[in-house]
Amino acid sequence: MDALFKEVDPLRQASRDTVRELGMLQEKFGDFGVSMAQCHSLIELGHRGVLTAGELAEILRLDKSTMSRVVAGLKRAGLIAIRDAARDKRKKPLMLTARGKKKLERIHQHSNRQVQDALALLNEDDRKTVVAGMAMYAKALARSRAQREFEVRRIEERDNPEVAGIIRRVMPEFGADGPGFAIHDPEVDFMSKAYAGKKAGYWVLAKNGTIVGGGGFAGLISGPKDVCELRKMYFLPEVRGAGMGRKLLEHVLVEAKKAGFKRCYLETLATMTRARALYEAAGFEKICEPMGATGHFGCDSWMIRRL
Amino acid sequence: MDALFKEVDPLRQASRDTVRELGMLQEKFGDFGVSMAQCHSLIELGHRGVLTAGELAEILRLDKSTMSRVVAGLKRAGLIAIRDAARDKRKKPLMLTARGKKKLERIHQHSNRQVQDALALLNEDDRKTVVAGMAMYAKALARSRAQREFEVRRIEERDNPEVAGIIRRVMPEFGADGPGFAIHDPEVDFMSKAYAGKKAGYWVLAKNGTIVGGGGFAGLISGPKDVCELRKMYFLPEVRGAGMGRKLLEHVLVEAKKAGFKRCYLETLATMTRARALYEAAGFEKICEPMGATGHFGCDSWMIRRL
DNA sequence: GAAGATTGAAACCTCAATCTTT
DNA sequence: AAAGATTGAGGTTTCAATCTTC
């Protein structure tokens, strides 16, 4: 495993202290007669209006059974009620009662005060750092967790239909379905075979057993021996923005380097803006002319980087 | 109540998200077979070596009864043991067993990985912001809580002996006990009476019912009508650094302004470095000559600020 | 009496199994 | 069968009362 960032230890330390100071190790929330989980549920209901128990469980990262009992407690206390008349009778949409709103108001006052008093000890710059740091940490933790649900693995024969389907779905999305595009390569239906050699490879991105993207490399046809081409890297729209493009790209490049290549070349389209931002962030640089003879004369953008 | 800083709401939001992502709303810590409180106890014992249940409760901000049962659970699991042979038989010093150390090691690995994975999504500057922000927040929360144990109130007659004791203890600490110092003012033994008028006031700082400091104002003798003097502001050494000097000073200045004064003057000593830093931070500016006729010719440093 | 720790009763959280509706 | 929610059994946390040692 890689060496840890030097920030890990002090961050964990400070995070533990924060959690303890905020009383998060305690079951109850102050003198409000509600548990920590109940308190968070009230806040979230106040924020979003109507939520089912399942949605709350997802948001608070709690087990649905826990949530069920949390909700039962809040209902017993008259703080929330089920909004009836839902189409799907399995769902029970929850919302705050007037009493619940009042209780929530007092909770907010108390917490606002606690946070306000702490922030009052800092100057404006430090306050900004605290907010920015906490926001970035929360977001990074969430993204990191989301990424854990993905798996990158080498393509297998049984994956071929799914992978072909993704290629044929994504490329037209960017207008890359006319002549001179990779969508017409004969290999599209037999990717596992086409990238089986030692000097090539293709990997799929899977989520819950379903393939949602892929990418690979192979030697650049009619190009210098030490140059490989990044090939057919595509993701379904629903998984874009999760940062998995970067992960898969890194994976492919590491493997390409292992295979002995010194540089990696790629062809893309100016309209694929997010992909090109990714390539640039990964160290690829624009070049003005295509290399080799890929036959993909539909592409209008060429990049290369050292491995 | 004052308006809230604009940072309060986003900070609370991000803090809630962080807490949820870290699984702090859950009872159990991962698949390690320990509760959240047990996990924190192990970490703290690993960090500090030997602790009693009471000390752990203080550190984790948990009730001693909770701690008792947390400790019982860890003992039952063979993760901690009581180090015997304590002089005071009421205390039971706890420490990790070999098994406990092994378990802690695995917990650290798991948490390090989680934090590392999240930080890997950020660049170095952002990682620094996250750590700095979290550290400052933890510290501010702790200081703010500590401050809540203090009380600032107007001096009463019964306080006079205690206040006199503080003045007579603190001033000699800084060599301010020779001739020309306020320690010899006749008012020292009757502060409540001396500062009873409408154009004066004295407040004490109390902690757990004991007075630990004080400060006040009165019109500057033989000075301009609109100038008051900050008088006899002293704190016991054990409460210095808690930020209460600033709080009391602010309180006194607000009251002085309410009494109609436009400026506040003070006399101090170059050796009282922390006090002078406080005055400067509060907007006082050094002047080269004394004002009025306080009779405290022992002082060598004079400051003033607009109210 | 106070400091340090434990315990009874009650509420809370969790896993796995179960129920209801689609 | 799957989605949404509940429940039984067992561990965790809490308040107040209690015990032990100084």
Side-chain angles (χ1 to χ4, degrees):
Chain A
M1 186 178 160
D2 300 336
L4 294 177
F5 293 127
K6 65 180 186 301
E7 289 91 355
V8 168
D9 205 58
L11 175 57
R12 285 188 56 210
Q13 174 95 45
S15 165
R16 282 196 299 270
D17 289 343
T18 303
V19 154
R20 293 167 190 171
E21 285 297 337
L22 292 172
M24 297 301 309
L25 289 182
Q26 288 155 34
E27 190 75 71
K28 305 223 163 161
F29 183 79
D31 299 326
F32 293 91
V34 293
S35 72
M36 217 68 210
Q38 285 177 329
C39 175
H40 276 245
S41 302
L42 289 177
I43 290 174
E44 218 52 37
L45 278 171
H47 207 264
R48 313 204 188 191
V50 182
L51 289 168
T52 66
E55 288 165 340
L56 264 178
E58 166 75 20
I59 293 168
L60 305 188
R61 318 250 117 241
L62 284 171
D63 188 84
K64 59 182 181 170
S65 72
T66 300
M67 210 57 238
S68 177
R69 284 182 155 113
V70 167
V71 163
L74 290 171
K75 236 169 353 190
R76 207 180 322 118
L79 300 175
I80 65 173
I82 296 177
R83 195 195 60 176
D84 47 21
R87 236 164 288 136
D88 187 338
K89 281 186 181 170
R90 289 173 306 179
K91 289 184 185 175
K92 298 194 177 175
L94 305 167
M95 52 187 307
L96 295 176
T97 60
R99 258 188 88 179
K101 280 178 192 162
K102 209 175 263 175
K103 170 83 75 178
L104 177 59
E105 182 55 36
R106 287 197 294 129
I107 287 171
H108 274 314
Q109 265 178 27
H110 172 272
S111 294
N112 280 342
R113 214 225 152 74
Q114 179 184 26
V115 175
Q116 168 82 7
D117 285 354
L119 290 183
L121 299 175
L122 302 174
N123 64 39
E124 193 175 343
D125 279 352
D126 288 351
R127 289 201 296 272
K128 273 186 192 156
T129 301
V130 169
V131 177
M134 189 68 82
M136 284 194 290
Y137 191 40
K139 197 171 165 192
L141 284 169
R143 278 174 72 89
S144 159
R145 177 176 47 76
Q147 289 193 352
R148 230 168 275 141
E149 297 185 1
F150 289 96
E151 176 201 11
V152 172
R153 60 171 170 79
R154 197 175 277 271
I155 192 170
E156 296 172 25
E157 195 170 343
R158 65 185 164 93
D159 301 323
N160 285 336
E162 254 186 300
V163 170
I166 289 176
I167 293 171
R168 295 218 170 87
R169 177 169 157 204
V170 174
M171 293 196 71
E173 192 188 327
F174 294 94
D177 50 351
F181 281 113
I183 193 171
H184 303 300
D185 293 353
E187 67 180 35
V188 166
D189 283 304
F190 310 98
M191 295 290 284
S192 68
K193 205 179 230 169
Y195 291 81
K198 267 205 157 183
K199 289 289 209 178
Y202 196 87
W203 288 263
V204 295
L205 181 69
K207 184 178 182 181
N208 300 328
T210 310
I211 295 177
V212 292
F217 75 89
L220 175 60
I221 297 166
S222 307
K225 280 268 184 303
D226 70 331
V227 174
C228 70
E229 184 189 2
L230 182 72
R231 298 270 281 264
K232 293 189 175 59
M233 186 153 135
Y234 298 111
F235 300 91
L236 290 181
E238 53 265 38
V239 300
R240 288 172 206 161
M244 288 311 297
R246 191 172 143 190
K247 286 248 166 174
L248 182 60
L249 178 57
E250 268 172 24
H251 190 93
V252 171
L253 294 181
V254 165
E255 294 290 333
K257 189 172 181 182
K258 274 193 211 164
F261 291 104
K262 302 288 181 211
R263 289 179 289 168
C264 184
Y265 165 80
L266 66 83
E267 300 184 331
T268 182
L269 276 171
T271 54
M272 296 183 170
T273 48
R274 296 178 75 174
R276 286 179 51 235
L278 171 64
Y279 298 142
E280 270 179 41
F284 280 86
E285 284 171 15
K286 255 184 107 164
I287 51 179
C288 303
E289 295 289 319
M291 283 174 75
T294 65
H296 300 147
F297 55 81
C299 293
D300 61 3
S301 194
W302 313 276
M303 304 179 90
I304 195 163
R305 70 156 267 192
R306 201 164 295 282
L307 291 178
Chain B
M1 186 179 158
D2 300 334
L4 295 177
F5 294 126
K6 65 180 185 303
E7 289 92 355
V8 168
D9 205 58
L11 175 56
R12 284 188 57 211
Q13 174 94 44
S15 164
R16 282 195 299 271
D17 289 344
T18 303
V19 154
R20 294 168 189 169
E21 284 296 338
L22 293 173
M24 296 303 307
L25 290 182
Q26 288 156 36
E27 190 91 348
K28 306 222 164 160
F29 182 80
D31 300 326
F32 292 91
V34 293
S35 73
M36 218 67 210
Q38 286 177 328
C39 175
H40 276 243
S41 302
L42 289 178
I43 289 173
E44 219 50 38
L45 279 171
H47 207 263
R48 313 204 189 192
V50 181
L51 289 167
T52 66
E55 288 165 339
L56 264 177
E58 166 75 21
I59 292 169
L60 305 188
R61 320 248 117 242
L62 286 170
D63 188 82
K64 58 180 179 168
S65 71
T66 301
M67 210 58 238
S68 177
R69 283 183 156 112
V70 166
V71 163
L74 290 172
K75 238 174 345 194
R76 208 181 323 117
L79 300 174
I80 64 173
I82 297 176
R83 196 195 58 176
D84 47 22
R87 238 163 286 135
D88 186 338
K89 281 187 181 169
R90 288 175 306 183
K91 289 183 184 175
K92 298 194 177 176
L94 305 167
M95 53 188 304
L96 296 175
T97 60
R99 257 188 87 178
K101 281 178 191 163
K102 210 176 264 176
K103 170 85 74 177
L104 176 59
E105 181 55 36
R106 285 198 295 130
I107 287 171
H108 274 314
Q109 266 179 27
H110 172 272
S111 295
N112 280 342
R113 214 224 151 76
Q114 180 185 24
V115 175
Q116 168 81 8
D117 285 354
L119 290 184
L121 298 175
L122 303 174
N123 63 40
E124 193 176 342
D125 279 352
D126 288 351
R127 289 201 298 271
K128 274 186 189 156
T129 301
V130 168
V131 177
M134 188 68 82
M136 285 194 292
Y137 191 39
K139 196 172 165 189
L141 284 168
R143 278 174 71 90
S144 159
R145 176 176 48 78
Q147 288 192 353
R148 230 167 274 141
E149 297 186 1
F150 290 96
E151 177 200 12
V152 172
R153 61 173 172 77
R154 198 175 275 273
I155 192 170
E156 296 172 24
E157 197 171 342
R158 63 183 165 97
D159 301 322
N160 286 335
E162 254 185 301
V163 170
I166 288 175
I167 294 171
R168 296 217 170 87
R169 177 170 157 202
V170 173
M171 294 195 71
E173 192 188 328
F174 294 94
D177 51 349
F181 282 114
I183 194 171
H184 303 299
D185 295 353
E187 67 180 37
V188 167
D189 284 304
F190 309 99
M191 294 289 285
S192 67
K193 204 178 232 167
Y195 291 81
K198 268 206 158 182
K199 288 289 207 178
Y202 196 86
W203 289 264
V204 295
L205 180 68
K207 183 179 182 180
N208 300 325
T210 310
I211 296 177
V212 293
F217 76 90
L220 176 60
I221 299 166
S222 309
K225 280 270 187 298
D226 69 333
V227 174
C228 70
E229 184 190 3
L230 182 72
R231 299 269 279 262
K232 294 189 174 58
M233 185 154 133
Y234 299 111
F235 301 91
L236 290 182
E238 53 264 38
V239 300
R240 289 172 205 158
M244 289 310 298
R246 189 173 145 188
K247 285 249 165 171
L248 182 59
L249 177 57
E250 269 172 24
H251 190 93
V252 171
L253 294 180
V254 166
E255 294 291 333
K257 188 172 183 182
K258 274 192 209 162
F261 291 104
K262 302 287 181 212
R263 288 178 289 167
C264 184
Y265 164 79
L266 66 84
E267 301 183 332
T268 183
L269 277 172
T271 54
M272 295 182 171
T273 49
R274 295 179 75 174
R276 287 179 52 235
L278 170 64
Y279 299 141
E280 269 180 41
F284 281 87
E285 284 171 14
K286 257 184 104 165
I287 52 179
C288 303
E289 295 289 318
M291 284 175 72
T294 64
H296 300 147
F297 54 82
C299 292
D300 60 4
S301 193
W302 312 275
M303 305 179 89
I304 195 163
R305 69 157 267 191
R306 199 163 298 282
L307 290 178

